[in-house]
Amino acid sequence: MAGGGFGDDKGGARAHLYEYRITGYFVFACVVAAMGGSLFGYDLGVSGGVTSMDDFLKEFFPKVYRRKHARLQETDYCKYDNQILTLFTSSLYFAALVSTFGASYVTRNKGRRASILCGAVSFFLGAILNAFAKNIAMLIIGRCLLGVGIGFGNQAVPLYLSEMAPAKVRGAVNQLFQLTTCLGILIANFINYATDKIHPWGWRLSLGLATVPAAIMFIGGLFLPETPNSLVEQGRLEEARQVLEKVRGTTKVDAEFADLKDASDAARAIKHPFRNLLKRKNRPQLVIGALGIPAFQQLTGMNSILFYAPVIFQSLGFGSGASLYSSAITSGALVLATFISMAFVDKFGRRAFFLEAGAEMICVLVAVAVTLALKFGEGEALPKGIGVFLVVIICIFVVAYGRSWGPLGWLVPSELFPLETRSAGQSVVVCVNMIFTALIAQCFLVSLCHLKYGIFLLFAGLIFIMSCFIFFLLPETKQVPIEEIYLLWQNHWFWKSYCTPGENEHDLDGKPGSQI
């Protein structure tokens, strides 16, 4: 069987002894922490809209502005092909991938809460600098500060939510990150729609309003509890038990606390967690969680649509206002999809969502490619009916992504790593994610220019490959306690040869490797 699994439905040695209630304290902590997703989402939504605004283009990219209006009456795949313009978007993600390694140190040694606060401060400063930018250099520096904020936030928030959540609802709780990301995208699109009418400084308002989620995240973060896992990792055992009892709503936490201490003992023995990721027994987490899923999440092509939805719709013949409105519709579809995923992911499982939505996304991308190949060309206006059809099927694609690769691309990696490599593993997750996000952001418009409708066929082929990857290599993780995920590898048809319980290997520091 491709999925592998446990020998019993309890999930592991002590999982059936865990007790919990959903408390107000737990809900507050998770909602506040999840605000980190709104930083990522707001930027995803606002950057594409701003780069399609005439006032922004006239001030910073006059050549693109002249090219756009020289061809105002025709459609053209290549209107926005400008590498400096795309650098405005992608510079943020290059900064995020570098900063995540610093975030790993803070997350591991100072706690998840400290990383959340650092991310909020950096994002706030970047938003201020962008709002008052006078030249491209100020724009890029501001984007880099935003990237540092996203690097810290994306490093800490998925870990925070997964560690705070009871196993049976971990999928839904972790997807609060995706929900706030989607809400950030949706709000940013409506803000862009409004500020596009404010001349000549509306774009400054769009960029400057990124300070609002950053401020909310920072103020709320001051009142956040640290996760029990992190407190145990730091040796603050008494405080860790108090927080665990408070978030679980019961004093009967002996079994879960014992698992946390066992995992922490193994974690403290690891002096170089990044090198420990390369150990043979950690190969599943490295291949699936740290490399495969975060890379594939971007190769679906979804973030290209989020980055450049207004630009894409303008290139396909929509007016400026209509393009921003159409991208807002797709963002609303993304929010709807997240609620669907939150409601059912802990019932139907991660694999089912990945595979079903993957098939749907392939069909949609092929339909988009065929439609454009038959009905769209340089200098030829796109018929209104075809334009509406494209918006509808792009929304179908967004809904499929929004209940699968979008939320699960963050949820599943955050579940897979043992405590000893969790902060390091999440850093690699964010780093790989940002590398591919930046590459897609930098290359998509030039690819659209040269490959035309073929770019959508390329993404369809990639989704087929990643669906096969999930089918054969990812076991089902729903309702499995996060400290007992390692048992999945020992029962998986492929990974069990790497993770035999009694293996006597040495870690890369030359010390005996512990088997948790």
Side-chain angles (χ1 to χ4, degrees), residues 23-33 110-117 156 159-161 163-164 219-231 234 236 239-240 242-248:
T23 64
Y25 186 73
F26 166 75
V27 172
F28 165 79
C30 291
V31 169
V32 171
K110 305 299 181 183
R112 286 52 164 158
R113 176 176 170 269
S115 278
I116 290 172
L117 293 173
L159 288 186
Y160 188 96
L161 295 174
E163 291 180 348
M164 291 293 276
I219 294 170
L222 295 175
F223 301 96
L224 277 181
E226 188 53 83
T227 70
N229 309 61
S230 180
L231 291 170
Q234 297 172 52
R236 297 154 63 181
E239 187 178 352
Q242 291 175 1
V243 172
L244 186 61
E245 290 178 355
K246 201 167 183 180
V247 296
R248 295 292 180 258

Side-chain angles (χ1 to χ4, degrees), residues 50-362:
V50 165
T51 54
S52 72
M53 292 182 184
D54 285 349
D55 293 323
F56 176 81
L57 293 175
K58 278 191 288 187
E59 185 157 351
F60 295 103
F61 303 97
K63 289 184 179 179
V64 176
Y65 173 76
R66 288 193 295 271
R67 186 192 308 164
K68 172 184 173 183
H69 284 271
R71 301 176 177 179
L72 194 60
Q73 301 305 315
E74 65 180 69
T75 53
D76 184 358
Y77 285 103
C78 302
K79 279 182 181 178
Y80 293 89
D81 179 17
N82 182 288
Q83 289 300 294
I84 302 299
L85 178 60
T86 52
L87 183 62
F88 166 75
T89 298
S90 61
S91 59
L92 179 148
Y93 303 100
F94 286 119
L97 73 88
V98 173
S99 68
T100 189
F101 292 103
S104 173
Y105 174 83
V106 174
T107 302
R108 179 178 171 90
N109 294 283
K110 305 299 181 183
R112 286 52 164 158
R113 176 176 170 269
S115 278
I116 290 172
L117 293 173
C118 289
V121 170
S122 182
F123 198 88
F124 185 92
L125 295 175
I128 292 292
L129 194 58
N130 271 181
F132 292 96
K134 296 297 182 183
N135 51 55
I136 291 177
M138 287 182 70
L139 277 179
I140 300 300
I141 293 171
R143 294 288 292 172
C144 288
L145 286 172
L146 293 173
V148 171
I150 286 176
F152 273 80
N154 287 12
Q155 220 280 341
V157 172
L159 288 186
Y160 188 96
L161 295 174
S162 287
E163 291 180 348
M164 291 293 276
K168 290 186 178 180
V169 295
R170 188 174 63 243
V173 170
N174 186 277
Q175 288 190 53
L176 287 171
F177 177 75
Q178 176 72 5
L179 177 62
T180 57
T181 299
C182 297
L183 288 172
I185 294 168
L186 179 63
I187 291 169
N189 274 289
F190 280 114
I191 288 174
N192 282 340
Y193 185 71
T195 58
D196 189 44
K197 299 177 175 62
I198 303 175
H199 303 287
W201 51 271
W203 64 270
R204 294 186 183 275
L205 184 59
S206 286
L207 296 177
L209 285 174
T211 57
V212 175
I216 293 173
M217 181 175 162
F218 180 79
I219 294 170
L222 295 175
F223 301 96
L224 277 181
E226 188 53 83
T227 70
N229 309 61
S230 180
L231 291 170
V232 170
E233 192 175 19
Q234 297 172 52
R236 297 154 63 181
L237 298 181
E238 187 60 36
E239 187 178 352
R241 186 179 179 98
Q242 291 175 1
V243 172
L244 186 61
E245 290 178 355
K246 201 167 183 180
V247 296
R248 295 292 180 258
T250 177
T251 58
K252 299 176 181 179
V253 295
D254 292 339
E256 187 171 2
F257 192 63
D259 277 347
L260 291 181
K261 288 194 294 183
D262 288 348
S264 178
D265 290 341
R268 276 196 290 269
I270 302 301
K271 302 302 181 185
H272 301 285
F274 282 100
R275 281 193 280 171
N276 189 259
L277 274 175
L278 301 177
K279 289 177 65 175
R280 181 178 172 85
K281 72 169 186 175
N282 291 327
R283 199 65 48 79
Q285 297 95 313
L286 177 67
V287 172
I288 298 176
L291 301 177
I293 289 178
F296 285 145
Q297 186 191 46
Q298 302 311 313
L299 294 175
T300 60
M302 180 60 206
N303 271 4
S304 301
I305 293 174
L306 294 180
F307 287 147
Y308 298 116
V311 171
I312 290 171
F313 286 125
Q314 276 196 23
S315 293
L316 298 182
F318 291 75
S320 177
S323 70
L324 289 170
Y325 190 66
S326 298
S327 63
I329 293 174
T330 61
S331 301
L334 195 57
V335 173
L336 172 65
T338 305
F339 280 114
I340 295 172
S341 188
M342 290 177 69
F344 297 110
V345 72
D346 286 312
K347 179 178 180 181
F348 296 115
R350 286 57 160 155
R351 282 167 48 84
F353 273 72
F354 273 129
L355 297 174
E356 178 275 328
E360 191 173 324
M361 292 161 71
I362 291 170

